[in-house]
Amino acid sequence: MPSTLSARVSDIAPGRGALRPARSWLHSDAPCRSLNGPWRFRLSPTASVAEDFAAEGFDDHGWDTIQVPSHWVLQGDGAYGRPIYTNIQFPFPIDPPHVPDENPTGDYRRHFDIPADWSDAERIVLRFDGVESLFRVWVNGMEAGSASGSRLAHEYDVTSSVRPGDNVVAVRVHQWSASSYVEDQDQWWLPGIFRDVTVIARPAGGIEDVWLRTGFDNGHGHIDPEVTADPAAFPVALRIPELGIEQVWATPADVARLDVAAVEPWSAEQPRLYDATVSTAAETIALRVGFRTVEIRGDQFLVNGRRVVFNGMNRHEAHPERGRVFDEQHAREDLARMKRFNVNAIRTSHYPPHPRLLDLADELGFWVVLECDLETHGFDKVGWVGNPCDDPAWRAALVDRIQRTVERDKNHPSIVIWSLGNEAGTGSNLAAMSAWVHARDTERPVHYEGDHTGEYTDIYSRMYATVPEIEQIGADTARSTLMNCTPAQSARQRTKPFVLCEYAHAMGNGPGALDQYQALVHAYPRVHGGFVWEWRDHGLLATAPDGTPYYAYGGDFGEVVHDGNFVMDGMLLSNDVPTPSLHEFKAVVQPIRLDFDGDKLALTNLRHSADTSDLRFQWRVEHDGVPVDGGDLEVPVLAPGDSEHVALPRIPVSPDAETWLTIDAILAAGTAWAAEGHVVATAQLDSSPPRTASAARPRADWEPGEGTLTLGIAEFIDGSLVRLAGRAVTGPRLELFRAPTDNDESASDQVEDSDADVAGASNADLWRRDGLDRLSTRRVCVEQAAQSLRTVDKVSAAGSALSVMVESVWSLEDDELELRVEIEPSSGWRTVWPRIGIRFDLPDGAAPVDGAEWFGLGPFESYPDSLCAARTGRFSATIRDLSVDYARPQETGHRSRLRRLTLLSGESEVLHIVALQDRSGRRPGFTLSRHTPQQIARAQHPFELPVSTTSHLIIDAVQHGLGSRACGPDVRPEFALRPESRTIRLRLTAGH
């Protein structure tokens, strides 16, 4: 027979004891006291430990002290265990509802004071806003109850247990429990009391709950109030001073709809809120009301009658030191940063966040998909056998989870969709959850991606669908069968709004092709955008053996089972630094479309509800990146959805320089999330006169030579470059390898419509198979002519007959040194290549090459399928700032379409390089780094990179795209690099 303790941790009931029904998280003037702060703490390795600690007189002086809220595995430098990261797999045997006996169990105790004047309270409530995973509560030695649902709120009636003066609360928290099977989200397992604990005096005659449902139609609003209070608590008054509303309801039967003659609507762009109070003689509740109507009309998702496009992010609560512990200042800045990068929507993957975050979302303005605390992804490993979502025994627990989700947050205007959870298969319990939501909230639709056939949800949702597949979903004429659907089910799903709840997996360097996804939103009205996976990396701050701080991922804490760096998949690094992909996202989804149409600028306001009166439009003209003119552009105010053509300014064109016109839409005044002048949208126009690229001078007078000579600033020995501009230099050597990105390393089977050679094998594995990371060279010939040197090399890898012929021609042209490299692969190559480039190694000598100035695309790194955020101009950066500190070192730092490059050593100019177009008008890119691609590929963390004494310059004729293959589609064919012949032409001069 199981013990009483093991039966508790295997209990699938949502809660027991004096657990109160779910209700809104309200701002009340009822007396309350926070129990956040230091608690006494003891950790035991199993759940089988005596419960004597709950007794009032228990001596806990020998215990440690821990802060609440916190995760115990992030305290004490490992004294209380370590975090565990898994994506899909459970970190314990799949034996539901049972968990191992090795079950870390934390016991908490603290004293708290009950004021004497609380004796008039009708009841005393003890509230926990978040505890992972199962917890039990005692007050003054009396058990109040237990509950599970880690990211859900639980309140206990402890009236009979407390007394005026000193009281003792004791809490036992089990890391593993039956609820762990339904909380298998892609995140760190972080046990403990990690949200607020509060003791509340509920007054006699108080308000138990309030729901002010609102609507908006053509300038008019309405409120459908729901007040939960004892009849003796009435009269109840609703006051909204700004609207002149002072409605008093004498009895519960009087509570009825109010029509409001003139209100401003709430939207994510114009988050208009009205301060309201609901009060009785004993209690006042403060709310902020936003008037908006959510509806689905046909295949359109509408708010206030207008179609919504979600330019969204999946957002976890994550901090490198606090884990999921909420910090309001950090959260506010997090959301403000989202607004600055044109993010307008949040999916709370995959649980309700701290309730204050939703207050901030109401205030700053976001469309929110509020997701329930539910995921059972680990059951996919066993073919979904035993999945709680289709087991009637789990129904009460799962319905309780959605009830607590909806009830807590129902007053927030920012929430426009309820989501049942994520990656939990399908089944009758999910249908029961949906039925409860539909009965409770008749306005907001229900989402769940796993309902592929649309049996119980209102929105067709998918994750990581390809661009061609979404075209088939969006097109009215499409008749193809959708994934896991019959033809009839496919037809039904095409009658619904379509949302990508996850797309564009932002792991490491990537994703690519964001603009292709965004184009679908404008081409197919039923396609309503989606949510990038995800907003931020989940790295936890750790220290390397040598004391270097770094951001740890799965496996760094000695986990037996883990999923590596798959937790590092955000557009924001763990230290809040935006990645280039976030800049790319901002450019792709910018809410003002700026197109050039002859001598006019075509502007379109893509916003949902805001006109353009908050914006100014500025223009500037640059010659080879140097500003020569600029000013303000007169633009009429555009209503949402409107377009207008505006005359462009006169553009001064230079015959000797590239002429670029840049238009910026900027904030005319500061907002709560950005300063005046913040750039919202931008576009560039190349106004340069046509120029013909100079052809390379053909030579036919080559003679065999020793190759030891000097050509201008270059010195050669045996045909090999040894010095350049007075510095030791080696190269150029053919470089076909890049340190694989996380997308390159993915062995995903999702390679349809791609150039992947072997399904189930990563591109990086194929590159290593073909030896691209270990190329060797055989010199075929060295030839000389007047003021010229020619070498031919055959480059191949051990164990392979595949090869690349490389012809390098050095010549003095008008006192400038020119290098032309012709690269030609043999037949037989079967895979895509990462790059086609040449590498120069520049040893430090007296002074290292430590920076660059360039004219080309910048300021951030760019790749063939990630160019929207790049603009043509002059830029400069240190060698360190040219690279991105991805949590796992990988390819980074490539700048595309290079015109001119100056290598720097401190303030000194070392070398000038002019990049000439090839015969097809294509320009190369460059990467400048302190490590070679091979060195970077060998490191799993930044601190593992070796100490460098050399800078490495790679000039790439072309690079392979980025894609999203780490969890999604591969690089699109038009951005895939197939082995091909390429030419690189450079002109080099010494620095001044």
Side-chain angles (χ1 to χ4, degrees), residues 495-655:
T495 67
K496 298 178 180 179
F498 175 75
V499 173
L500 281 162
C501 67
E502 296 178 21
Y503 80 109
H505 194 256
M507 186 176 180
N509 190 347
L514 286 172
D515 54 329
Q516 294 194 347
Y517 281 95
Q518 193 67 13
L520 300 170
V521 168
H522 305 297
Y524 305 105
R526 81 169 57 105
V527 177
H528 286 71
F531 298 82
V532 168
W533 189 267
E534 65 171 304
W535 171 240
R536 66 163 59 244
D537 282 358
H538 293 208
L540 295 176
L541 190 61
T543 304
D546 66 356
T548 302
Y550 73 102
Y551 293 101
Y553 49 74
D556 288 338
F557 296 104
E559 302 103 303
V560 175
V561 172
H562 65 85
D563 286 301
N565 70 318
F566 207 71
V567 76
M568 309 296 249
D569 46 12
M571 288 196 157
L572 199 68
L573 299 179
S574 300
N575 59 355
D576 294 343
V577 173
T579 64
S581 67
L582 186 53
H583 291 274
E584 180 77 0
F585 178 88
K586 175 187 177 181
V588 165
V589 305
Q590 60 187 30
I592 308 299
R593 181 186 292 160
L594 303 169
D595 297 316
F596 296 100
D597 184 6
D599 61 353
K600 294 187 181 295
L601 175 68
L603 298 97
T604 304
N605 181 3
L606 300 176
R607 291 165 156 181
H608 173 271
S609 47
D611 63 27
T612 59
S613 59
D614 62 324
L615 302 177
R616 288 171 39 220
F617 293 81
Q618 294 183 330
W619 64 275
R620 68 181 180 277
V621 173
E622 295 169 322
H623 290 165
D624 280 357
V626 177
V628 295
D629 203 356
D632 288 332
L633 196 65
E634 292 298 322
V635 174
V637 173
L638 299 180
D642 281 1
S643 297
E644 186 71 54
H645 280 70
V646 176
L648 290 171
R650 185 190 65 82
I651 301 173
V653 175
S654 168

Side-chain angles (χ1 to χ4, degrees), residues 791-834:
T791 61
V792 177
D793 297 322
K794 185 175 184 179
V795 181
S796 52
S800 174
L802 302 171
S803 64
V804 181
M805 298 303 295
V806 180
E807 178 192 45
S808 301
V809 177
W810 296 86
S811 60
L812 281 178
E813 306 288 344
D814 301 324
D815 296 326
E816 284 188 325
L817 181 66
E818 179 170 317
L819 168 63
R820 176 174 55 86
V821 181
E822 300 285 356
I823 301 165
E824 183 176 352
S826 68
S827 61
W829 293 94
R830 301 194 308 277
T831 66
V832 296
W833 277 353

Side-chain angles (χ1 to χ4, degrees), residues 151-166:
R151 269 69 70 177
L152 305 170
H154 299 89
E155 291 183 335
Y156 297 91
D157 188 337
V158 296
T159 310
S160 61
S161 305
V162 298
R163 57 180 175 250
D166 185 60

Side-chain angles (χ1 to χ4, degrees), residues 237-354:
L238 167 65
R239 295 180 177 88
I240 308 179
E242 195 173 355
L243 296 175
I245 293 175
E246 185 159 349
Q247 175 69 45
V248 178
W249 298 301
T251 70
D254 295 331
V255 178
R257 168 173 164 148
L258 280 78
D259 291 317
V260 186
V263 296
E264 297 175 53
W266 184 97
S267 73
E269 294 163 358
Q270 296 176 309
R272 182 67 161 94
L273 295 170
Y274 294 89
D275 291 329
T277 60
V278 179
S279 58
T280 68
E283 182 179 16
T284 296
I285 303 293
L287 303 93
R288 293 188 300 181
V289 175
F291 290 88
R292 56 102 183 95
T293 294
V294 177
E295 63 179 320
I296 291 177
R297 192 182 303 161
D299 62 359
Q300 302 286 291
F301 177 82
L302 311 175
V303 174
N304 299 334
R306 292 187 60 85
R307 172 176 175 256
V308 171
V309 172
F310 296 107
N311 298 320
M313 294 283 165
N314 284 279
R315 182 189 183 275
H316 278 279
E317 292 183 309
H319 186 273
E321 296 174 84
R322 296 187 299 271
R324 283 188 284 279
V325 175
F326 183 75
D327 178 270
E328 183 165 333
Q329 181 178 351
H330 184 259
R332 180 180 288 275
E333 176 51 34
D334 212 35
L335 297 196
R337 185 183 294 109
M338 282 186 172
K339 297 285 285 188
R340 292 194 293 272
F341 280 92
N342 291 334
V343 177
N344 71 0
I346 297 169
R347 176 178 176 229
T348 69
S349 53
H350 299 293
Y351 48 82
H354 191 285

